[in-house]
Amino acid sequence: MGSLSPSINPRLVSQANSYDLVSFRRVFGPVLTGPQARPDMTGACRRSRRRAVYAKKNANEDFVNCDSEWKSKFKEDFEKRFNIPHISDFFPDAASYPSTFCLSMRTPINEEFAEGYPSDEEWYGYINNDDRVLLKVIRYSSLSSAGAECIDPDCTWVEQWIHRAGPREKIYFKPENVKAAIVTCGGLCPGLNDVIRQIVITLEIYGVKKIVGIPFGYRGFGKEIDEIPLSRKVVQNVHLSGGSLLGVSRGGPSLDEIVDSMEDRGINMLFVLGGNGTHAGANLIHNECIKRGLKVAVVGVPKTIDNDILLMDKTFGFDTAVEEAQRAINAAYIEAHSAYRGIGIVKLMGRSSGFIAMHASLASGQIDICLIPEVPFELQGSHGVLNHLKYLLETKGSAVICVAEGAGQSFLEKTNAKDASGNVVLGDIGVHIQQEVKKYFKEMGNPTDVKYIDPTYMIRACRANASDGILCTVLGQNAVHGAFAGYSGITVGICNTHYVYLPITEVISYPKIVDQNSRMWHRCLTSTGQPDFL
């Protein structure tokens, strides 16, 4: 799946410890001048040709060349970028119909019903297309405030509204003409079966009879793999186990082959469950369908245990992954606490597992050192991890380290190897730290008892907990509502406790990483009591 593999363009132009948040390229049209200008979140003022998104905290220079109308221009640009694509944008003659998702209709439609859908004007469960949810709810007064996300040096407050998710009174697909397909891509994640189940059930409530699953990710669009018929009867109890009913994989056919397959199979609704790379592929599929004049709704559902999808409170699978990680952390703690000069090391899997490591550290209360990719550290030296371990053994007799998979890659030999999705294969930092710890204390003449625990796929393959189960249920339902409402090239998520629709282009625009100045990282440092390892 070469053409779909580059998940997102690397837009990480600075480390989180230099700026409030990561920087990304977005030319802000008329607000900025200069050939290489990079905006603040608003792009309000231009200080230089290489201005990053957020102002440096330690910089006091005045901004120059401010546009007096930047605030209104920012609002216009924001509304344009976050306007979710609709079928009618590309097919002006697209007809709408009264929704079949109503209280008076809870059984599949029949032929007599096909041309005269019943309206349910008495029901107040529909979402108005103009309903919005506030993206940012904190008004920061200063750049020096912890975790500040400011638009300009004065931390000007600008309301940013995004589309509310839910069923609409008008739909743009006749249920009897819909063939819906569901595909799960990437690695396993708790909750996949829950989402599949809810998509199928909600589709049937709308009246859809042709529902299929595409096996093994995008690879299933190949001619050698048959689709799987789905119905409520098939998916009724799939949420009681982990994994994916449809299977997962990385890589797959080219973009043209995927869309050719969709066209041949008559698929006009595609629900894509996956992370950043998968969503990038879904956006390409959406664009190609529009290019070919195919009236197809492509809707994403963010799936990642790493919780590294932009703009969302959390993604499904994350809570379960953190909860499951507690088992490994508790085992490491007991092993370390029970041994003479015991050290427990837990490596948590995930390309952006810093979020898991932080939350697991907070939840367990048993972690002494938390190492994540976004915060650099040294092993050696007076301020290094090993010296702090020595202090911990002298003062409390044992220690537990939680290390995220992507942390400390600078200590490991780079192979430049990539997986089928084009992601760089990470070195095993857990094993490296284990070896360095043993070596350090052996050379000191005070060997330690080191226990290394790598739960790896145990975190991914387990069944979703109650919290994730509820999240999956609502995400699956809203994905179907969005497709029937005529939206495509969108993904569904939760923002400030409300469910929203977002353009896929925005959620994949740059990598989401841990902000060193965030309250979450500060809480983690307080919980572990660890110093700055630099």
Side-chain angles (χ1 to χ4, degrees), residues 53-73:
V53 179
Y54 292 92
K56 274 189 177 181
K57 289 185 179 296
N58 58 359
N60 295 317
E61 304 98 326
D62 292 333
F63 273 45
V64 296
N65 297 331
C66 289
D67 189 326
S68 60
E69 299 181 357
W70 70 264
K71 191 171 181 178
S72 61
K73 290 179 179 178

Side-chain angles (χ1 to χ4, degrees), residues 29 161 174 196 205 256 285 290 316 360 395 453 465 474 499:
W161 298 99
K174 289 186 174 183
I196 293 171
I205 290 177
D256 286 336
I285 293 172
I290 296 302
F316 76 83
T395 55
I453 298 176
N465 64 13
V474 186
Y499 292 88

Side-chain angles (χ1 to χ4, degrees), residues 329-403:
I329 292 171
N330 187 57
Y333 173 81
I334 291 174
E335 287 285 356
H337 191 68
S338 302
Y340 175 67
R341 293 173 60 81
I343 296 176
I345 302 175
V346 179
K347 186 192 80 173
L348 297 180
M349 184 179 183
R351 306 200 64 81
S352 301
S353 50
F355 292 100
I356 298 180
M358 283 195 307
H359 284 74
S361 297
L362 286 169
S364 70
Q366 297 171 320
I367 301 298
D368 299 295
I369 298 175
C370 179
L371 304 175
I372 63 175
E374 294 84 353
V375 181
F377 61 90
E378 294 292 341
L379 290 175
Q380 306 291 339
S382 58
H383 298 289
V385 172
L386 296 175
N387 189 63
H388 186 60
L389 272 178
K390 176 175 174 288
Y391 166 78
L392 291 172
L393 292 181
E394 291 173 351
T395 55
K396 57 181 291 191
S398 63
V400 179
I401 303 174
C402 180
V403 57

Side-chain angles (χ1 to χ4, degrees), residues 61 78 91 111 125 172 236 300 311 333 335 339 392 396 486 514:
E61 304 98 326
F78 182 88
F91 304 95
E111 294 181 0
Y172 283 78
Q236 184 62 46
L311 306 174
Y333 173 81
E335 287 285 356
L392 291 172
K396 57 181 291 191
V514 177

